[in-house]
Amino acid sequence: MKELESLLNNVSDTYEDFITGIMQYARKKQSRLDAVLGFIKEHPNATSSDIVYFVSIQPDF
């Protein structure tokens, strides 16, 4: 979770509620954490909106 938090803090347009929401989503299952970490690492220039969209289209969202 520390790695995810660090990556989220480095998103260009990050904000507190965004970080909290993504962390809460990822905390529930390892597969969620892995998916979000993978997305951010594959898309280092992703904005908060890109990441929220990615999470929102996941089958377990």
Side-chain angles (χ1 to χ4, degrees), residues 1 4-5 7 12 19 24-25 27 29 31 40 56 59:
M1 292 301 290
L4 177 59
E5 185 174 15
L7 289 171
S12 63
I19 293 171
Q24 286 296 328
Y25 170 79
R27 182 173 282 122
K29 281 192 202 177
S31 61
I40 295 171
S56 73

Side-chain angles (χ1 to χ4, degrees), residues 1 4-11 13-28 32-33 36 40 48 51-52 55 61:
M1 292 301 290
L4 177 59
E5 185 174 15
S6 176
L7 289 171
L8 293 173
N9 275 309
N10 289 320
V11 172
D13 62 342
T14 196
Y15 54 97
E16 188 175 335
D17 289 341
F18 161 70
I19 293 171
T20 300
I22 300 300
M23 296 286 290
Q24 286 296 328
Y25 170 79
R27 182 173 282 122
K28 298 205 184 233
R32 289 180 175 186
L33 175 60
V36 176
I40 295 171
S48 60
I51 297 166
V52 168
V55 168
F61 180 67

